Structures are given as structure tokens and as C-alpha cells.
């Protein structure tokens, strides 16, 4: 069973990549936001009452597991509680099954199912759990995903959001410039501009809003204004002014 783990900065397109893998191979796709689940039953289904009797309705996650050749994205898997990870372990390894008492049967992973998990790993992410070897060892392949190159990101924004090549080029240049000024590159900015933010910016621009106004509604507010002219926000505004005029 070949499971895939995608790690990288938030908003760089890990989940979209999993979706693309499914679409490009004409396979069923399902996203399980596993970090939102507290107990295994949250992932497996829900209890209800009908005609004075209780019942358990299986979830779409169970349906996806039992669908041949499905691609199942375990989104932000390192936000899972240990209880959820313990449920996933037998599904991810050679057993490929788990007994669900509420259903009175064993749920088995169907033929050809591929699990693709995403994770944002780093001290800057709160609410996450450190992977132990039991879960890491069940992902045969691990890929580090990062942001597109500037030219590729510009083409993506133009195609996906319908903005002009000139505007998409400026937007990608802003992102590339600001990313180069983050702590990881020896700069002073504490956060990266995500592809998700760029798509939101380009979507606003497609409605007729200028690039500067759009950035002011999406990217600029995510940077701290404390410190006045020496603040992160001031540096970001200066870069935007230099690039966009």
C-alpha cells in the first residue's frame, strides 16, 4: 500500500496537488479534514434516532475507503489527535482494515485506494502534534512541496483567476520579493505570502479592484503593524509600492 505524505508551508497548494493527482488520473477524490475530528467516531459516522431507535450512519470517509481506486486526502494530518492517528494506522499499513463496532463490521480499504496526507510542520504552527515513527513509517513516499517559481505562479494566477498577464506578473513578483525577505532567507519578515493569498488577491482584481487595493485586503493585514515605520507591515507596503507603483 503506497501512501504519500506532502509537507510544506501553509497555502502552497498541497491539498490542490492531491486533488490534481486524482483528476489527472480520472480517479474518485475525497478530502478528510482529519484535524477537525476529536474521536474516531467523528471520522467514521454519526449517531441518530429514528422511530424511537438509535442508529449509526457511516460517513463519506468510510464510503471513500471502500471505493476502488479512490484518492483520499488526509488534510493536515499532524493536527490529528492520537486517537484519530491510532484509527488510521491499521488503514494505512498492510492490514488495510479497521473494525467499527457501531457498524458491526470491518471496514476494508478497497483495491487501488491511495492515501495522500498533508502536513504543515514547524514551530510556527500551533495546535499540531509531533509525528511518531508509527505514523511516519506508514507513508512510503514523502515529498516536500513549496511555492511555484515566479513565472509559473504568474501563469497559474492568470489562468485560474482570469487576470491579465501584466497583473499576474506583478502579483507573483510581489510574493517572490516578500518571501525572500522572511526569516528563512535571512530577512526580517515573520511569515510567507501563500499561494492561497495570491489567488484571493487575483480574484479581487478580476472584479476590477486595483492590485494595491486587493493586496491591502489580503496580504498586508497579515503582517504586524507594531513598530511604525520599522514594522513588518511598513516593509511590505514599501515593497508593494516599489513593484506596483
Amino acid at each position: 500500500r503506497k501512501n504519500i505524505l506532502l509537507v510544506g508551508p501553509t497555502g502552497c497548494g498541497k491539498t490542490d496537488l492531491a486533488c490534481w493527482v486524482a483528476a489527472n488520473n480520472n480517479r474518485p477524490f475525497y478530502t478528510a479534514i482529519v484535524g477537525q475530528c476529536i474521536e474516531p467516531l467523528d471520522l467514521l459516522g454519526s449517531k441518530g434516532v429514528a422511530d424511537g431507535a438509535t442508529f449509526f450512519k457511516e460517513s463519506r470517509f468510510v464510503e471513500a475507503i471502500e471505493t476502488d481506486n479512490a484518492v483520499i486526502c488526509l488534510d493536515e494530518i499532524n493536527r490529528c489527535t492520537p486517537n484519530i492517528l491510532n484509527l488510521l494506522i491499521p488503514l494505512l499499513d498492510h492490514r488495510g482494515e479497521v473494525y467499527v463496532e457501531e457498524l458491526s463490521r470491518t471496514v476494508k480499504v478497497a483495491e487501488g485506494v491511495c492515501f495522500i496526507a498533508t502536513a504543515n510542520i514547524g514551530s510556527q504552527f500551533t495546535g499540531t502534534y509531533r509525528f511518531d515513527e508509527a505514523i511516519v513509517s506508514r507513508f512510503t513516499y514523502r515529498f516536500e512541496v513549496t511555492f511555484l517559481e515566479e513565472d509559473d505562479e504568474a501563469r497559474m494566477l492568470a489562468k485560474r483567476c482570469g487576470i491579465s498577464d501584466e497583473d499576474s506578473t506583478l502579483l507573483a513578483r510581489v510574493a517572490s520579493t516578500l518571501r525572500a525577505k522572511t526569516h528563512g532567507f535571512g530577512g526580517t519578515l515573520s511569515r510567507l505570502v501563500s499561494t492561497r493569498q495570491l489567488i484571493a488577491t487575483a480574484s479581487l482584481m478580476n472584479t476590477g479592484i486595483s492590485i494595491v487595493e486587493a493586496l491591502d485586503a489580503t496580504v498586508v493585514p497579515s503582517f504586524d503593524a507594531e513598530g511604525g515605520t520599522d514594522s513588518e507591515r511598513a516593509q511590505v507596503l514599501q515593497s508593494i509600492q516599489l513593484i506596483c507603483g
Side-chain angles (χ1 to χ4, degrees):
R1 198 172 304 284
K2 297 177 176 62
N3 307 313
I4 299 168
L5 178 62
L6 305 178
V7 299
T10 183
C12 70
K14 298 184 294 297
T15 306
D16 275 0
L17 177 58
C19 183
W20 178 86
V21 167
N24 199 50
N25 291 281
N26 196 30
R27 296 173 65 169
F29 179 73
Y30 176 78
T31 299
I33 308 177
V34 289
Q36 292 183 350
C37 301
I38 305 300
E39 297 295 337
L41 286 185
D42 298 334
L43 192 58
L44 296 173
S46 58
K47 292 182 178 179
V49 178
D51 300 324
T54 60
F55 67 90
F56 186 80
K57 182 181 179 181
E58 66 184 45
S59 66
R60 288 190 62 219
F61 178 67
V62 171
E63 180 184 344
I65 287 174
E66 297 179 327
T67 300
D68 288 347
N69 299 314
V71 174
I72 301 175
C73 178
L74 304 173
D75 206 25
E76 299 197 17
I77 193 172
N78 58 325
R79 293 186 182 275
C80 283
T81 63
N83 284 342
I84 299 296
L85 290 179
N86 289 335
L87 164 71
L88 293 175
I89 283 174
L91 292 172
L92 294 169
D93 65 19
H94 64 281
R95 289 167 288 183
E97 63 180 39
V98 65
Y99 181 76
V100 181
E101 186 173 348
E102 286 73 13
L103 294 175
S104 299
R105 68 179 179 87
T106 298
V107 174
K108 296 186 177 182
V109 179
E111 186 71 24
V113 167
C114 173
F115 290 99
I116 302 180
T118 71
N120 301 318
I121 297 177
S123 59
Q124 70 271 37
F125 299 109
T126 60
T128 61
Y129 295 84
R130 184 172 181 175
F131 280 144
D132 62 22
E133 186 58 31
I135 194 71
V136 172
S137 65
R138 282 162 172 80
F139 287 95
T140 313
Y141 303 104
R142 177 170 173 164
F143 297 99
E144 294 184 358
V145 183
T146 188
F147 300 105
L148 297 173
E149 295 292 335
E150 186 176 325
D151 289 345
D152 292 331
E153 196 159 50
R155 284 193 291 271
M156 181 275 294
L157 291 170
K159 184 174 182 179
R160 179 163 179 164
C161 303
I163 61 176
S164 68
D165 290 341
E166 180 182 0
D167 282 342
S168 65
T169 297
L170 288 176
L171 197 53
R173 189 173 303 156
V174 167
S176 179
T177 299
L178 294 178
R179 289 167 187 160
K181 293 184 177 183
T182 58
H183 292 168
F185 292 91
T188 57
L189 298 182
S190 61
R191 63 179 67 245
L192 291 159
V193 176
S194 70
T195 302
R196 185 182 297 120
Q197 287 176 301
L198 294 186
I199 291 172
T201 306
S203 297
L204 284 178
M205 292 167 63
N206 192 36
T207 68
I209 297 175
S210 71
I211 184 171
V212 173
E213 290 175 317
L215 285 166
D216 196 45
T218 56
V219 172
V220 174
S222 63
F223 291 92
D224 194 350
E226 186 176 349
T229 56
D230 294 326
S231 68
E232 288 191 1
R233 187 172 298 184
Q235 295 178 57
V236 169
L237 289 169
Q238 184 181 41
S239 294
I240 292 173
Q241 181 64 33
L242 288 172
I243 294 169
C244 303

